Amino acid sequence: MLRSRSQLAEETFTFHSSRMRMQHVTKEELNKMDHDSLRCAVELSDARCDILAYACLVAIMCNEPGYHTVSEQKLAKAAKETGADVPAVSSAGALIQGIQTLGAQKIALVAPYMKPLTGMVIDYIESYEIEVVDSISLEVADNLAVGKLDPMNLISISEKLNVQDADAVVLSACVQMPSLPAVQEVENRLGKPVLTAATATVYQILKMLQLKRMVPNAGALLSGSY
């Protein structure tokens, strides 16, 4: 998404990553992974990045509501202790803020998780007075398999969502699940704003970097209108 902004402006981004280990998308492995996030923040602080992004939604949302704020503060503190005073965003917090930015009070969502984990994500979102009117769990437990899902299948999957009362659609409540190629197509077909954990995270990154929140063909949130 950031690379595609070269169509709009002369910008250069560098991307640095550190990975937390996880094989199976279960609450136990998610908690282990989350505990490892501080190591990643310390490693990335060596690159003196302008912003840190925690790109796993469910690792945050399987905890108590508000945990995304706690996590972001812990990551920023860990980086600062190495001399890198850098803000941190999480895809969990970014999705909540993205939905609120769109002014949506009711959403429908698609998630790759097993149903109990999707239920935790729904509970977390609804704790922010956002009603989830319908959801589809793809029930893919293997983390590698999630990353191999065909994003274009989301077009037909979204047609099974009941979006009649939804103000917006979360096409993927998971950064790992590919979705970007389908976002604009689904938005055009449904006539509702469509966002994902990934597009919301990019929106929040651009906002904190004080750049125009615009990415071509990435849905309403990144249309430049917000």
Side-chain angles (χ1 to χ4, degrees):
M1 279 184 267
L2 296 179
R3 188 177 296 122
S4 70
R5 283 172 55 88
S6 63
Q7 302 172 34
L8 309 171
E10 292 185 5
E11 296 173 335
T12 300
F13 295 92
T14 61
F15 180 80
H16 308 263
S17 66
S18 178
R19 184 178 183 277
M20 301 171 286
R21 294 192 65 220
M22 183 177 68
Q23 293 179 311
H24 302 98
V25 191
T26 64
K27 190 173 189 312
E28 291 73 22
E29 288 204 29
L30 286 165
N31 286 335
K32 288 181 182 178
M33 187 181 77
D34 182 58
H35 287 311
D36 207 21
S37 63
L38 297 183
R39 171 188 59 80
C40 295
V42 170
E43 290 179 357
L44 290 171
S45 66
D46 290 346
R48 294 297 188 263
C49 300
D50 295 312
I51 191 165
L52 298 179
Y54 186 146
C56 182
L57 179 138
V58 71
I60 297 287
M61 289 197 178
C62 69
N63 291 280
E64 294 296 316
Y67 182 66
H68 66 271
T69 302
V70 175
S71 175
E72 291 164 2
Q73 291 172 347
K74 286 196 304 182
L75 295 175
K77 182 175 183 290
K80 190 172 184 178
E81 287 174 350
T82 71
D85 193 1
V86 57
V89 302
S90 66
S91 54
L95 184 67
I96 297 293
Q97 291 162 10
I99 294 169
Q100 293 171 336
T101 297
L102 290 171
Q105 296 179 319
K106 298 180 180 180
I107 64 163
L109 69 81
V110 179
Y113 318 124
M114 304 302 287
K115 287 181 180 176
L117 277 180
T118 301
M120 291 181 183
V121 168
I122 291 173
D123 288 345
Y124 197 101
I125 292 172
E126 291 195 328
S127 73
Y128 287 85
E129 299 184 350
I130 300 165
E131 182 182 352
V132 179
V133 297
D134 195 22
S135 67
I136 293 176
S137 298
L138 301 182
E139 300 203 84
V140 182
D142 184 282
N143 195 39
L144 284 178
V146 171
K148 293 177 180 177
L149 291 171
D150 184 348
M152 301 314 289
N153 286 342
L154 287 169
I155 295 174
S156 58
I157 292 169
S158 68
E159 293 174 350
K160 300 174 184 175
L161 273 176
N162 183 352
V163 301
Q164 183 176 358
D165 294 327
D167 301 317
V169 174
V170 177
L171 191 60
S172 172
C174 173
V175 181
Q176 169 84 338
M177 185 170 82
S179 58
L180 182 60
V183 167
Q184 196 62 55
E185 178 66 21
V186 172
E187 183 168 284
N188 295 342
R189 288 182 180 225
L190 298 181
K192 307 265 186 181
V194 170
L195 71 165
T196 69
T199 62
T201 302
V202 169
Y203 176 90
Q204 200 63 24
I205 289 171
L206 293 172
K207 182 179 180 181
M208 295 187 74
L209 294 177
Q210 299 184 344
L211 296 173
K212 189 172 180 62
R213 280 82 78 183
M214 191 171 186
V215 171
N217 298 313
L221 186 62
L222 287 167
S223 66
S225 298
Y226 298 94

